[in-house]
Amino acid sequence: MFISSVKIMKPNVEKLEESESGISQALLELEMNSDLKAQLREPNITAAKETEVGGGWKTIIIFVPVQQLKSFLKIQVWLVHKLEKFRGKHIIFIAQRRILSNPTQKSCTKNKQKHPRSRTLTAMHDTILENLVFPSEIVGKRIPIKLGGS
């Protein structure tokens, strides 16, 4: 039996949920038994949550550090296929990102840095959408605007 917490990095010393330990165990087994050992050795996950999607379907959302997202995307198609065989549920990889609140008068005086646009709520929604549909690309978006201005 392998230690299941090897492939998961929690920011604080928190207890692992059942889905997190199962995914971590599956990643470790894939690393030991597959031909992609080099690609699976480095990446770690930060969290895994099991959610129910409409119609009774279950999916597992795996959160990975932003710095390691590119290494996961290189092997994502193969990894999702193998993990779906292990768990029998849909698997989605999303980068663990941080949304910064809007700057207020007090926060602007405290730190003189400008608010990064990549940490805003709309930027996070765009990157999460790109992560959800990864193998394909988003070429156009429709934004509904009412004539009344609302």
Side-chain angles (χ1 to χ4, degrees):
M1 171 102 182
F2 302 113
I3 300 172
S4 64
S5 65
V6 170
K7 296 302 283 180
I8 189 161
M9 294 182 341
K10 288 278 198 178
N12 300 330
V13 181
E14 298 175 13
K15 226 176 161 165
L16 295 180
E17 295 177 13
E18 182 181 331
S19 61
E20 292 175 339
S21 62
I23 291 295
S24 179
Q25 182 72 25
L27 283 173
L28 197 59
E29 287 176 13
L30 282 173
E31 180 184 337
M32 297 297 173
N33 298 329
S34 73
D35 54 343
L36 296 174
K37 278 188 182 183
Q39 286 93 353
L40 285 173
R41 185 164 295 142
E42 280 298 315
N44 294 315
I45 63 173
T46 56
K49 294 183 182 179
E50 186 174 332
T51 58
E52 186 172 331
V53 186
W57 291 86
K58 297 234 178 190
T59 185
I60 297 176
I61 302 171
I62 300 175
F63 293 95
V64 299
V66 178
Q67 297 86 2
Q68 296 179 355
L69 183 64
K70 284 194 176 192
S71 63
F72 267 104
L73 293 181
K74 289 178 185 175
I75 57 171
Q76 180 179 0
V77 176
W78 178 84
L79 196 58
V80 165
H81 178 67
K82 292 292 184 182
L83 287 175
E84 283 179 351
K85 283 199 320 191
F86 268 116
R87 307 296 290 176
K89 298 171 184 156
H90 292 289
I91 306 290
I92 298 172
F93 286 98
I94 295 180
Q96 181 77 43
R97 299 181 187 269
R98 183 178 197 101
I99 299 173
L100 296 178
S101 61
N102 288 335
T104 60
Q105 193 70 9
K106 289 181 182 179
S107 68
C108 286
T109 59
K110 194 185 305 181
N111 35 331
K112 299 287 184 184
Q113 295 178 344
K114 200 170 182 182
H115 185 67
R117 297 292 176 209
S118 64
R119 304 287 191 280
T120 60
L121 183 66
T122 54
M124 290 298 128
H125 285 180
D126 290 342
T127 56
I128 288 172
L129 183 62
E130 288 174 10
N131 289 342
L132 283 175
V133 297
F134 164 66
S136 59
E137 289 185 20
I138 300 171
V139 292
K141 294 180 186 175
R142 295 183 182 178
I143 302 172
I145 298 174
K146 295 184 180 178
L147 292 177
S150 59

